[in-house]
Amino acid sequence: MKPLLQKVALVTGAGHPKGIGRAIALKLAEQGATVVVTDLAQASEDMSGAVSQLKGQGVEAMAVAVDVTQKTQIESCVQQVLNRFGQIDILVNNAGVGVGSSDFTELSDQDWELSFKVNVKGVADFSQAVIPVMQAQGGGSIINISSLLGLGAVEAIPACYTATKFAVIGLTKQLAVNYAKQNIRCNAVCPGSIVTQMHSTTLELIAEEHGISLEEAQALEDANIPMGYSAEPSVIGDAVAYLASPAARYMTGVSLPVAGGMSPGI
């Protein structure tokens, strides 16, 4: 029995073939969910590929172009999903950016503004658009993709990224408290070192910070992971699928590290 049969899941930032969002969408489909993928309009080809993959798993799927910094696009997306499927049971706020210098004094206003608009306000606006739908349905599950850097700081990471990922944890906990009695659960997943397109950017920052090659940067990162390696995006998909399922029905307000034993902060 697939635990997410007859559920509709919406996953933001799910276009890139090697991204966490795509892996999450595929895992939810594997569990039986109908899946809606969103990403920026320029990723339309990637989103089409995602829909093909999802349909190949025997589920219904659709793609909607959405810039999460534009509230009208979010509201339009939610309405399109309701028009087609009539419900939204699972929202995965995965869209995120990592920009800026590891030197705090070099961060620009644009770095801070983009980080906040995507990593925090985008999560808040999508949740605000979907919560009334879940209230009318009698419940739902919101899963926010934060980061291990939402729990603690790591050297050579832009402060605007760390700060906004901490904010995602705070938002998650507040929504969990606010809507628990209405059967709307809100949890966060905090990925550690995951091999994605953003991971390549992180390695470049580490290499620049220490004056080493990308290969040496990867070895340095792996040396700080108790399990000794960076994981594939599918491990985040597994965690999200669990939190979205009935097996996690008594879990809300959780910030779940999926990080091979890395544990900065508390």
Side-chain angles (χ1 to χ4, degrees), residues 2-257:
K2 295 183 176 181
L4 299 179
L5 277 173
Q6 300 182 337
K7 301 295 185 183
V8 175
L10 192 162
V11 185
T12 70
H16 199 287
K18 295 184 178 179
I20 286 174
R22 177 75 69 92
I24 291 169
L26 291 171
K27 285 290 182 178
L28 293 173
E30 189 179 287
Q31 298 302 310
T34 293
V35 182
V36 180
V37 295
T38 82
D39 213 315
L40 296 170
Q42 54 262 43
S44 59
E45 188 173 331
D46 284 339
M47 285 193 287
S48 295
V51 169
S52 295
Q53 268 190 297
L54 292 163
K55 288 183 175 179
Q57 292 189 202
V59 302
E60 290 192 78
M62 71 179 288
V64 184
V66 180
D67 180 343
V68 300
T69 69
Q70 302 299 313
K71 198 165 185 177
T72 55
Q73 291 187 28
I74 291 172
E75 292 167 348
S76 173
C77 171
V78 169
Q79 191 58 55
Q80 288 179 62
V81 176
L82 293 176
N83 289 344
R84 179 161 174 185
F85 298 121
Q87 63 194 76
I88 299 173
D89 305 286
I90 301 159
L91 170 65
V92 184
N93 285 306
N94 169 73
V97 295
V99 297
S101 171
S102 59
D103 184 339
F104 177 72
T105 63
E106 293 182 3
L107 287 174
S108 67
D109 288 347
Q110 290 75 21
D111 293 331
W112 282 103
E113 184 175 5
L114 182 61
S115 297
F116 177 77
K117 280 186 173 180
V118 177
N119 295 351
V120 184
K121 193 62 164 52
V123 173
D125 286 347
F126 238 117
S127 298
Q128 193 173 55
V130 168
I131 283 171
V133 177
M134 293 181 172
Q135 287 173 316
Q137 294 170 177
S141 175
I142 298 172
I143 300 162
N144 298 325
I145 306 303
S146 179
S147 168
L148 196 64
L149 297 164
L151 300 172
V154 173
E155 188 180 7
I157 301 299
C160 53
Y161 185 80
T162 301
T164 53
K165 289 301 184 177
F166 261 81
V168 171
I169 299 296
L171 176 61
T172 298
K173 290 184 178 293
Q174 191 63 56
L175 294 181
V177 170
N178 287 0
Y179 297 103
K181 287 184 173 62
Q182 297 177 53
N183 196 35
I184 298 172
R185 298 184 297 110
C186 188
N187 293 293
V189 174
C190 302
S193 183
I194 307 297
V195 183
T196 65
Q197 72 279 15
M198 194 178 288
H199 179 255
S200 300
T201 302
T202 301
L203 288 183
E204 289 169 5
L205 289 169
I206 293 172
E208 181 182 353
E209 179 78 13
H210 295 278
I212 56 179
S213 69
L214 289 176
E215 292 74 16
E216 289 170 324
Q218 182 65 70
L220 181 63
E221 180 153 306
D222 289 348
N224 291 319
I225 302 170
M227 293 185 75
Y229 66 94
S230 298
E232 293 299 318
S234 60
V235 302
I236 307 303
D238 287 331
V240 170
Y242 168 70
L243 288 172
S245 77
R249 60 190 175 276
Y250 199 54
M251 294 176 67
T252 193
V254 167
S255 304
L256 179 66

